[in-house]
Amino acid sequence: MSNINITRLDASSADFDRQLKNLLAFDETDDLEIHQRVLAIIADVRKNGDKAVVEYTNRFDQRTIAQVSELELPPEILKSAWNRLPAEQSQALQTAANRIRAYAEHQKMESWQYTEADGTVLGQKITPLDRVGLYVPGGKAAYPSSVLMNAIPAKVAGVGELIMVVPAPQGETNQLVLAAAYLAGVDRVFTMGGAQAVAALAYGTETIPAVAKIVGPGNIYVATAKKLVFGQVGIDMIAGPSEILIICDGETNPDWIAMDLFSQAEHDENAQSILISTDAAYLDAVEQSINRLLPTMERAEIIRTSLTTRGALIKVSDLNAAADVANIIAPEHLELSVEDPEALCKNIRHAGAIFMGRYTAEALGDYCAGPNHVLPTSSTARFSSPLGVYDFQKRSSLINCSQTGADTLGTTASILARGESLTAHARSAEFRIKPS
Amino acid sequence: MSNINITRLDASSADFDRQLKNLLAFDETDDLEIHQRVLAIIADVRKNGDKAVVEYTNRFDQRTIAQVSELELPPEILKSAWNRLPAEQSQALQTAANRIRAYAEHQKMESWQYTEADGTVLGQKITPLDRVGLYVPGGKAAYPSSVLMNAIPAKVAGVGELIMVVPAPQGETNQLVLAAAYLAGVDRVFTMGGAQAVAALAYGTETIPAVAKIVGPGNIYVATAKKLVFGQVGIDMIAGPSEILIICDGETNPDWIAMDLFSQAEHDENAQSILISTDAAYLDAVEQSINRLLPTMERAEIIRTSLTTRGALIKVSDLNAAADVANIIAPEHLELSVEDPEALCKNIRHAGAIFMGRYTAEALGDYCAGPNHVLPTSSTARFSSPLGVYDFQKRSSLINCSQTGADTLGTTASILARGESLTAHARSAEFRIKPS
């Protein structure tokens, strides 16, 4: 196997900003044809309900069902999938679930209120979503860890009913996924997928109840359908290719860092793995590790393509410069493999998850550290957050004016409303002013 | 003026669910032509930057500028708009700003972390957005209160730079809006609007810096542009027509309730005002108030159209039934004009803002009670929240494994990763397991 050709950049070069921009660029052109096909499926499911779901599921998943109720898995199926797991796997899933739940409990929002001097009460009331849909892909990206990461925060939030949909091509189901659904407390499971499943969850059919929000990863049809039903229901973010950025001071075993880069690259050819170091010789050492370890990897070809087309090794002058690059990239995963990760972390403004210290491999966070592995990709960490309990709760403002409070506020509101020529607003406020 | 013809429903009728659904239905068909025009404008601004912004602004706003820098208002202009306000208005704006800020401070998220027995640290780091764009409409919907409601939470969150855009047709600016921008601490103002302003903020041009998120209301071109740049930047919700739902036990002065219904209806013909009462005679009394007061209103025709096409008076058997209807509607604004609003509030699961008690007119909350008036419309309160400080902050997960922690977690991660056939993940975790 020939050595890998991985992009080298130097942050001190005059052209670095443009080079970095090119490295990060990823063309996600919206496919208008897919858009229109998905629109048609959604319209069909809205109009024809169960009948449309049956037709699309039989067609796309090579099923032969006569009615949607056949798609629902009875709870015993999930339980038996769980019971049949090897002890090692069920214990590992249980450990992961416990840790994900413990971390999620810290995210739970609570209602609050305060009373002003005149007796007026202001506050914020927190309520969970009534019902949530969890999309789980079939095929190669069917990950039990994803089921836990999406389902557990919803349950911690207090979501009333969690409905999972997962396509079962030719009736095939993934036993690990069903076991994870059992463990996470998923309430109902329908073996359906694609845009038709998203549409059914968004609008409801005779058999499938409408949900308030749809979360979970999926292919381009699923992602497009989620975008198109947004507004009717809430959705989580639309994930791009996964990325890791590692900042290393040159003192971590280069094999460890090479494997951390691989762990991202093995996801798919478009995944992006970038290493930044203050030490050029260390970048060489990691490249040697990459070349030595790559032939031993099960997914060597995916890793090779990912690293050669989207990977990079970047030399910086110091850790402050490394933080600057990280803040431009706003990576999904950021490893701070340095002596004093707390100090460096203070300079990080944008990242989905920050893995601190030489022992904190991203893979630990992917499975069982506790924080969610559903993270903002493609620089969206500039403005968005990991999936969390807060995504399954929402806030209502509370205002309870005392008579005195309404009197005072009424005067202010009246002046402002009249300034905006909204006189019904003004008069409504004025009714609450005490007659003088 | 003839009496108004307002829909009457009875929640105990067999057909109520369907009638309610029809009442709430609002056809928001996506206009494909608008979609394509906006796509073209965005592509042009991405490609040609300032030049495209100049062309569109001159064309759509009847301006005659030669370069984008002419669109920026110097800080003195904002300050002088503020200084020239009548004292009554500046005091009212100041009162509102103080109260909005005080409430917003309660929403501020703080970082947290905890240490496990083996020394592993887990946490969540909160950072503000670097730079935010605030869209403010020109024309009839230019409201200074909206500037305060959008800008103050961003500043409380600690956003580094807040850039306001507001179209100035033929160069005309709204002095109240500029005064509010000064008061709220907006950092820069460009007099531009439409899809071109949204595109410039999303992608940046030579003169206009790219932002991380765009908030604020706008017309269909602005709303479409926001949807299309989502992903490149964050956006707030896309607002539909405004709505109020009032639940009254029949003991509030019917004139007050009529005026509260008007205050929503005067926004525009598509606004929706609904009253629910346990007392049929009270619904008659409010209808009489409506008919008596309507001819005295400045915006009588807008109110009449809104109430006759989208308004309703609904009879329910008891307050529990009223709460059930409210939870189906998931209203933007909910007034609980009843004797014991706290008790009723316990049964409310979905609402943007809840106005409790007979003195709490929605108009007080619209201007100065403190909570935000940017609220989820069109039943989206089922899954979304008022605009708040949290919309201008984001979270990063923190994971710092001790050597012992990595040893334990590495074993679990390895088992799960191998279960998913992700062996680079497994080996990355295994490197952190202590050699036995």
Side-chain angles (χ1 to χ4, degrees):
Chain A
M1 234 178 193
S2 61
N3 274 356
I4 198 164
N5 185 9
I6 185 164
T7 301
R8 286 277 191 133
L9 300 178
D10 188 320
S12 65
S13 83
D15 201 26
F16 177 70
D17 286 354
R18 194 194 53 79
Q19 291 169 333
L20 183 62
K21 199 173 170 186
N22 287 344
L23 178 70
L24 301 176
F26 183 71
D27 191 20
E28 293 183 276
T29 44
D30 281 334
D31 187 321
L32 201 64
E33 195 192 317
I34 288 177
H35 189 95
Q36 285 172 334
R37 284 165 70 181
V38 170
L39 263 184
I41 292 171
I42 293 171
D44 194 4
V45 171
R46 278 187 77 170
K47 188 173 169 212
N48 297 310
D50 278 355
K51 185 166 163 288
V53 171
V54 167
E55 283 174 12
Y56 288 116
T57 301
N58 283 342
R59 192 194 315 169
F60 295 136
D61 293 342
Q62 294 89 49
R63 304 285 296 269
T64 53
I65 57 157
Q67 47 195 10
V68 170
S69 59
E70 296 171 48
L71 297 177
E72 184 163 10
L73 296 182
E76 309 84 72
I77 297 272
L78 308 188
K79 189 165 186 212
S80 90
W82 170 254
N83 287 336
R84 284 200 309 267
L85 281 190
E88 186 185 67
Q89 277 190 334
S90 60
Q91 278 161 19
L93 277 175
Q94 184 73 65
T95 299
N98 290 348
R99 294 187 61 87
I100 295 165
R101 189 174 296 111
Y103 182 85
E105 290 286 354
H106 287 262
Q107 296 180 321
K108 208 168 165 177
M109 303 191 292
E110 301 292 344
S111 303
W112 50 263
Q113 61 178 49
Y114 59 99
T115 305
E116 302 188 300
D118 64 19
T120 294
V121 176
L122 300 176
Q124 192 172 270
K125 174 180 160 124
I126 305 294
T127 37
L129 275 57
D130 281 349
R131 190 186 286 126
V132 165
L134 164 55
Y135 192 96
V136 175
K140 68 168 176 172
Y143 296 139
S145 58
S146 259
V147 174
L148 300 186
M149 292 288 184
N150 281 276
I152 290 173
K155 297 304 275 189
V156 169
V159 166
E161 188 172 36
L162 182 57
I163 300 184
M164 181 172 117
V165 296
V166 54
Q170 298 174 294
E172 287 282 340
T173 52
N174 178 323
Q175 293 304 299
L176 265 169
V177 161
L178 299 187
Y182 174 79
L183 177 60
V186 167
D187 296 290
R188 299 178 74 179
V189 177
F190 291 91
T191 55
M192 60 181 188
Q196 60 275 18
V198 173
L201 289 171
Y203 292 97
T205 68
E206 300 87 326
T207 306
I208 299 156
V211 302
K213 188 165 191 166
I214 301 173
V215 300
N219 63 20
I220 182 69
Y221 291 93
V222 172
T224 303
K226 280 170 65 182
K227 275 192 201 174
L228 289 169
V229 299
F230 175 62
Q232 171 66 24
V233 295
I235 61 169
D236 60 349
M237 52 203 120
I238 304 291
S242 197
E243 335 125 30
I244 191 171
L245 174 65
I246 303 175
I247 298 176
C248 186
D249 55 13
E251 302 296 327
T252 307
N253 184 329
D255 283 0
W256 294 17
I257 297 300
M259 196 59 74
D260 295 354
L261 294 169
F262 288 178
S263 76
Q264 200 55 239
E266 76 173 338
H267 275 296
D268 75 87
E269 289 84 351
N270 291 319
Q272 185 157 51
S273 301
I274 300 175
L275 169 62
I276 301 181
S277 182
T278 47
D279 180 349
Y282 183 73
L283 295 177
D284 294 337
V286 172
E287 189 163 342
Q288 282 162 25
S289 292
I290 288 174
N291 283 312
R292 181 167 40 77
L293 292 169
L294 184 58
T296 73
M297 302 307 300
E298 280 80 356
R299 297 182 174 230
E301 276 319 303
I302 295 174
I303 294 171
R304 172 183 291 273
T305 305
S306 163
L307 290 182
T308 50
T309 58
R310 304 211 68 218
L313 306 175
I314 303 178
K315 165 75 171 66
V316 291
S317 54
D318 57 36
L319 290 179
N320 285 333
D324 289 345
V325 177
N327 286 325
I328 294 170
I329 296 179
E332 181 189 11
H333 305 97
L334 175 62
E335 277 188 21
L336 306 181
S337 201
V338 297
E339 195 56 34
D340 187 354
E342 286 84 3
L344 182 53
C345 189
K346 287 196 173 65
N347 294 329
I348 301 299
R349 295 199 312 282
H350 311 304
I354 305 175
F355 302 82
M356 300 164 74
R358 308 191 200 285
Y359 285 96
T360 313
E362 188 215 305
L364 303 182
D366 286 342
Y367 288 105
C368 55
N372 212 289
H373 78 194
V374 181
L375 296 167
T377 59
S378 311
S379 294
T380 58
R382 289 176 297 119
F383 55 84
S384 56
S385 300
L387 187 72
V389 175
Y390 37 79
D391 288 303
F392 302 101
Q393 300 179 300
K394 69 265 183 343
R395 308 161 178 94
S396 302
S397 304
L398 298 180
I399 311 174
N400 192 340
C401 291
S402 66
Q403 190 172 355
T404 309
D407 182 64
T408 318
L409 293 176
T411 308
T412 298
S414 164
I415 293 165
L416 294 173
R418 290 188 181 278
E420 295 181 354
S421 305
L422 293 175
T423 48
H425 284 71
R427 290 174 68 181
S428 164
E430 289 156 12
F431 273 142
R432 273 76 175 189
I433 298 175
K434 282 179 211 160
S436 52
Chain B
M1 234 176 195
S2 61
N3 275 355
I4 199 165
N5 185 7
I6 186 165
T7 301
R8 287 277 192 132
L9 300 179
D10 187 320
S12 65
S13 82
D15 200 26
F16 177 71
D17 286 354
R18 194 193 55 78
Q19 291 169 334
L20 183 62
K21 198 172 171 187
N22 287 344
L23 178 70
L24 301 176
F26 183 72
D27 191 20
E28 294 183 274
T29 44
D30 282 334
D31 187 322
L32 202 63
E33 196 192 316
I34 290 178
H35 189 95
Q36 285 173 332
R37 284 164 71 181
V38 170
L39 263 184
I41 292 172
I42 293 171
D44 194 4
V45 171
R46 279 187 77 170
K47 187 171 169 214
N48 298 309
D50 278 355
K51 184 166 165 290
V53 172
V54 167
E55 283 175 11
Y56 288 116
T57 301
N58 284 341
R59 190 194 315 168
F60 295 136
D61 293 342
Q62 295 89 51
R63 303 286 296 270
T64 53
I65 58 157
Q67 47 196 7
V68 171
S69 59
E70 297 171 48
L71 297 178
E72 184 162 12
L73 297 182
E76 309 84 72
I77 296 273
L78 307 189
K79 189 165 187 210
S80 91
W82 170 254
N83 287 335
R84 283 200 309 268
L85 280 190
E88 185 185 68
Q89 276 190 334
S90 59
Q91 278 160 21
L93 277 176
Q94 184 73 65
T95 299
N98 291 347
R99 294 186 60 86
I100 294 165
R101 189 173 297 111
Y103 182 84
E105 291 285 354
H106 287 263
Q107 296 180 322
K108 209 169 165 177
M109 302 191 292
E110 302 291 344
S111 303
W112 50 262
Q113 62 178 48
Y114 59 97
T115 306
E116 300 189 300
D118 63 19
T120 294
V121 176
L122 299 176
Q124 192 171 269
K125 173 180 162 125
I126 305 293
T127 37
L129 274 57
D130 282 347
R131 191 186 286 125
V132 164
L134 165 55
Y135 192 97
V136 176
K140 69 169 176 173
Y143 296 138
S145 58
S146 257
V147 175
L148 300 186
M149 292 287 183
N150 281 277
I152 290 173
K155 298 302 275 188
V156 169
V159 166
E161 189 173 35
L162 182 57
I163 300 184
M164 181 172 116
V165 296
V166 54
Q170 299 173 295
E172 288 281 338
T173 52
N174 178 323
Q175 295 303 300
L176 264 169
V177 162
L178 298 187
Y182 174 79
L183 177 60
V186 167
D187 296 290
R188 299 178 74 180
V189 177
F190 291 90
T191 56
M192 60 180 187
Q196 60 275 19
V198 173
L201 289 172
Y203 292 97
T205 69
E206 300 89 326
T207 305
I208 299 157
V211 302
K213 188 166 190 167
I214 302 174
V215 299
N219 63 19
I220 181 69
Y221 291 94
V222 172
T224 303
K226 280 170 65 182
K227 275 191 202 176
L228 289 170
V229 299
F230 176 62
Q232 170 67 23
V233 295
I235 61 169
D236 60 349
M237 52 204 121
I238 304 291
S242 197
E243 338 124 28
I244 191 171
L245 174 65
I246 303 175
I247 298 177
C248 185
D249 56 12
E251 301 296 327
T252 307
N253 184 328
D255 282 1
W256 293 18
I257 297 299
M259 196 58 74
D260 295 354
L261 295 169
F262 287 179
S263 75
Q264 200 54 240
E266 76 173 337
H267 275 295
D268 74 87
E269 289 85 350
N270 290 320
Q272 185 157 51
S273 300
I274 300 175
L275 168 63
I276 301 181
S277 182
T278 47
D279 180 348
Y282 183 73
L283 295 177
D284 294 337
V286 171
E287 187 163 344
Q288 282 162 25
S289 291
I290 288 173
N291 283 313
R292 181 167 41 77
L293 292 168
L294 184 58
T296 73
M297 302 308 299
E298 280 81 355
R299 298 181 173 232
E301 276 317 303
I302 295 174
I303 294 170
R304 172 183 293 272
T305 305
S306 162
L307 289 182
T308 51
T309 59
R310 306 211 66 219
L313 306 175
I314 303 176
K315 166 74 172 63
V316 290
S317 53
D318 56 35
L319 290 179
N320 286 333
D324 290 344
V325 176
N327 286 326
I328 294 170
I329 295 178
E332 181 188 12
H333 306 97
L334 175 63
E335 278 187 22
L336 305 182
S337 200
V338 297
E339 195 56 33
D340 187 354
E342 286 85 3
L344 183 51
C345 188
K346 287 195 173 64
N347 294 329
I348 301 299
R349 294 199 312 281
H350 312 303
I354 305 174
F355 302 81
M356 300 164 73
R358 308 190 201 286
Y359 284 96
T360 313
E362 187 214 304
L364 304 181
D366 287 341
Y367 289 105
C368 57
N372 213 289
H373 77 194
V374 181
L375 296 167
T377 59
S378 311
S379 294
T380 59
R382 289 175 297 120
F383 54 83
S384 55
S385 301
L387 187 72
V389 175
Y390 37 78
D391 289 304
F392 302 100
Q393 301 179 298
K394 69 264 182 350
R395 307 162 179 94
S396 302
S397 304
L398 299 180
I399 311 175
N400 191 341
C401 291
S402 66
Q403 190 172 357
T404 310
D407 182 65
T408 319
L409 293 177
T411 307
T412 298
S414 164
I415 293 165
L416 294 173
R418 291 188 182 277
E420 294 181 354
S421 303
L422 293 175
T423 48
H425 284 70
R427 290 174 65 182
S428 164
E430 288 155 13
F431 273 143
R432 273 75 174 190
I433 299 176
K434 281 180 212 161
S436 51

